[in-house]
Amino acid sequence: MPEAGDVVARAERYLAKLAQDGPSHEALRRAAVALVRGFALAEEEALAVLVRGYPGRVSRSELLRQVRGAARSERVGLGYLLG
């Protein structure tokens, strides 16, 4: 199992690629799902990664809403991006 710091670093690199397209609603949803479900980050950790990935471009409350929605989603398996 990868160490927590390695997972966060991988998640940040993944988000950097997604964030290139801008903060559309769909892009934010996909990013939140990737962080919370794909990389299995805790909500607080995923929020911190999103805040760093979209500095000043999206409100913290919108990012938190996306993270909480992703945490409730069961459409994809937990940890699907860790393999």
Side-chain angles (χ1 to χ4, degrees), residues 1-79:
M1 179 112 180
E3 292 193 29
D6 294 339
V7 172
V8 170
R10 285 179 55 200
E12 287 175 333
R13 288 191 302 273
Y14 189 89
L15 178 62
K17 292 177 186 174
L18 292 179
Q20 290 174 351
D21 294 332
S24 71
H25 177 77
E26 183 60 24
L28 289 174
R29 187 194 66 74
R30 282 193 320 268
V33 168
L35 296 177
V36 175
R37 301 295 299 172
F39 289 102
L41 297 181
E43 288 184 33
E44 301 80 27
E45 211 168 20
L47 178 61
V49 171
L50 284 172
V51 166
R52 290 191 298 270
Y54 292 101
R57 295 165 54 190
V58 181
S59 72
R60 186 177 182 87
S61 62
E62 175 60 18
L63 295 174
L64 180 58
R65 189 177 75 76
Q66 294 294 336
V67 166
R68 287 181 174 160
R72 289 189 303 271
S73 175
E74 294 183 0
R75 297 176 105 185
V76 293
L78 190 62

